[in-house]
Amino acid sequence: MKLSFVFHMKSPEKPYALIPSILLPYVTDSVKSMSEAHAESSGWKDRKMVTELIVRDVGKALGKLRKEIGNKKLPRPLSAIPLSDFGVGIRTHNCLTRLGVADDVREIGDLTFNTVLRTRNFGVRCLVELLNAIQSNGAEMEI
């Protein structure tokens, strides 16, 4: 099944995928509507608010997510770049380093959703951030 993203543009060259389509089934309709309403907003407060709501919804549905897609592999980023250049936060970076990803972010495609979610300090916020980074790298989100 091929999945797409809902995009939010910070600038023409830097898309922000607020809701990766893999996570759409776990996000409420009201948050989806909010995401669309703020798609044209350039304010960081709007993006942050919507991101917090996405994290909240996915967190509430985490058990369901783990059951349905937990054993599936994460999408593989297309570019062979080091993790330090991948554009994720320090917590996500440290968790991926703990999992052995450092020199080539394509190694992320060898990990399952449950593997990363079982990693200490890797929570829903890191998952959303990671999926957004993978999307920004041009990977097709297929499950």
Side-chain angles (χ1 to χ4, degrees):
M1 163 168 66
K2 190 172 185 176
L3 303 170
S4 61
F5 280 82
V6 175
F7 283 98
H8 172 76
M9 297 299 286
K10 176 181 176 190
S11 66
E13 66 278 349
K14 280 283 195 187
Y16 284 93
L18 288 183
I19 307 175
S21 62
I22 288 173
L23 300 180
L24 280 172
Y26 311 103
V27 177
T28 61
D29 289 339
S30 62
V31 173
K32 290 175 192 172
S33 297
M34 241 183 193
S35 175
E36 290 174 19
H38 290 291
E40 297 304 316
S41 172
S42 61
W44 66 270
K45 287 183 181 181
D46 291 339
R47 288 193 307 275
K48 182 176 174 156
M49 176 190 63
V50 173
T51 301
E52 293 298 322
L53 294 172
I54 294 165
V55 169
R56 180 203 66 193
D57 284 0
V58 173
K60 286 180 181 178
L62 194 56
K64 181 180 175 186
L65 181 145
R66 285 183 168 188
K67 249 187 224 177
E68 293 176 358
I69 64 172
N71 292 323
K72 306 241 185 234
K73 293 197 179 216
L74 289 165
R76 186 176 305 279
L78 298 179
S79 300
I81 58 175
L83 183 58
S84 58
D85 297 336
F86 194 49
V88 294
I90 192 70
R91 180 182 302 249
T92 305
H93 179 279
N94 289 343
C95 291
L96 291 171
T97 300
R98 238 180 266 127
L99 289 166
V101 176
D103 297 327
D104 186 352
V105 293
R106 292 179 300 177
E107 295 170 353
I108 291 169
D110 297 331
L111 305 171
T112 66
F113 283 86
N114 282 337
T115 300
V116 295
L117 288 168
R118 280 193 302 261
T119 304
R120 186 174 54 106
N121 293 328
F122 193 100
V124 175
R125 184 178 316 280
C126 290
L127 179 63
V128 171
E129 180 182 39
L130 177 60
L131 291 173
N132 285 335
I134 292 170
Q135 158 57 30
S136 294
N137 186 260
E140 293 200 17
M141 304 298 280
E142 295 184 20
I143 297 233

Short mmCIF file of all heavy atoms in Angstrom, two decimals, residues 22 24 27 30 35-36 41 44 59 62 78 88 124 130:
data_model
loop_
_atom_site.label_atom_id
_atom_site.label_comp_id
_atom_site.label_asym_id
_atom_site.label_seq_id
_atom_site.Cartn_x
_atom_site.Cartn_y
_atom_site.Cartn_z
N ILE A 22 1.32 7.51 7.04
CA ILE A 22 1.37 6.28 7.83
C ILE A 22 0.63 6.49 9.16
O ILE A 22 0.02 5.59 9.69
CB ILE A 22 2.83 5.85 8.10
CG1 ILE A 22 3.44 5.34 6.81
CG2 ILE A 22 2.92 4.81 9.20
CD1 ILE A 22 4.91 5.03 6.90
N LEU A 24 -1.83 8.81 9.62
CA LEU A 24 -3.18 9.37 9.44
C LEU A 24 -4.28 8.55 10.13
O LEU A 24 -5.18 9.13 10.73
CB LEU A 24 -3.50 9.55 7.96
CG LEU A 24 -2.91 10.80 7.31
CD1 LEU A 24 -3.14 10.78 5.80
CD2 LEU A 24 -3.47 12.06 7.92
N VAL A 27 -4.74 9.63 13.83
CA VAL A 27 -4.95 11.05 14.14
C VAL A 27 -6.43 11.36 13.93
O VAL A 27 -7.04 10.92 12.96
CB VAL A 27 -4.07 11.94 13.23
CG1 VAL A 27 -4.33 13.41 13.48
CG2 VAL A 27 -2.60 11.62 13.45
N SER A 30 -10.42 16.07 13.58
CA SER A 30 -10.28 17.49 13.94
C SER A 30 -8.82 17.94 13.79
O SER A 30 -8.55 19.06 13.34
CB SER A 30 -10.79 17.76 15.35
OG SER A 30 -10.05 17.03 16.30
N SER A 35 -4.61 20.69 10.68
CA SER A 35 -3.37 20.63 9.91
C SER A 35 -3.57 21.27 8.54
O SER A 35 -2.72 22.04 8.08
CB SER A 35 -2.94 19.18 9.76
OG SER A 35 -1.82 19.08 8.92
N GLU A 36 -4.68 20.96 7.90
CA GLU A 36 -4.97 21.56 6.60
C GLU A 36 -5.17 23.07 6.73
O GLU A 36 -4.71 23.83 5.89
CB GLU A 36 -6.21 20.92 5.99
CG GLU A 36 -5.98 19.49 5.55
CD GLU A 36 -7.24 18.81 5.08
OE1 GLU A 36 -8.23 19.51 4.75
OE2 GLU A 36 -7.26 17.57 5.06
N SER A 41 0.03 28.59 6.96
CA SER A 41 0.56 29.45 8.01
C SER A 41 2.07 29.35 8.07
O SER A 41 2.63 28.27 7.97
CB SER A 41 -0.03 29.03 9.36
OG SER A 41 0.61 29.71 10.40
N TRP A 44 5.54 29.56 13.50
CA TRP A 44 6.05 28.37 14.19
C TRP A 44 5.11 27.94 15.30
O TRP A 44 5.01 26.75 15.61
CB TRP A 44 7.46 28.58 14.71
CG TRP A 44 7.58 29.61 15.80
CD1 TRP A 44 7.80 30.94 15.66
CD2 TRP A 44 7.45 29.38 17.20
NE1 TRP A 44 7.82 31.56 16.87
CE2 TRP A 44 7.61 30.63 17.85
CE3 TRP A 44 7.20 28.26 17.98
CZ2 TRP A 44 7.53 30.77 19.23
CZ3 TRP A 44 7.14 28.41 19.36
CH2 TRP A 44 7.30 29.65 19.96
N GLY A 59 -0.04 9.15 20.32
CA GLY A 59 0.25 8.57 21.63
C GLY A 59 -0.94 7.80 22.20
O GLY A 59 -0.78 6.72 22.77
N LEU A 62 -1.22 4.45 20.39
CA LEU A 62 0.05 3.74 20.26
C LEU A 62 -0.11 2.22 20.30
O LEU A 62 0.53 1.50 19.54
CB LEU A 62 1.03 4.20 21.33
CG LEU A 62 2.48 3.81 21.13
CD1 LEU A 62 3.00 4.29 19.78
CD2 LEU A 62 3.34 4.38 22.24
N LEU A 78 16.09 7.71 0.91
CA LEU A 78 16.70 7.49 -0.41
C LEU A 78 18.17 7.86 -0.46
O LEU A 78 18.94 7.23 -1.16
CB LEU A 78 15.94 8.29 -1.47
CG LEU A 78 14.48 7.90 -1.67
CD1 LEU A 78 13.85 8.79 -2.73
CD2 LEU A 78 14.35 6.44 -2.03
N VAL A 88 17.27 15.55 12.17
CA VAL A 88 16.42 15.16 13.30
C VAL A 88 16.99 15.78 14.57
O VAL A 88 18.16 16.15 14.63
CB VAL A 88 16.31 13.63 13.46
CG1 VAL A 88 15.58 13.01 12.28
CG2 VAL A 88 17.67 12.97 13.64
N VAL A 124 6.72 8.86 20.86
CA VAL A 124 5.86 9.26 19.75
C VAL A 124 6.41 10.50 19.06
O VAL A 124 6.43 10.59 17.83
CB VAL A 124 4.42 9.48 20.23
CG1 VAL A 124 3.55 10.01 19.12
CG2 VAL A 124 3.85 8.19 20.79
N LEU A 130 10.99 11.52 13.02
CA LEU A 130 11.73 10.63 12.14
C LEU A 130 11.00 10.42 10.82
O LEU A 130 11.60 10.49 9.75
CB LEU A 130 11.99 9.28 12.83
CG LEU A 130 12.69 8.22 11.98
CD1 LEU A 130 14.05 8.70 11.52
CD2 LEU A 130 12.80 6.92 12.77
#
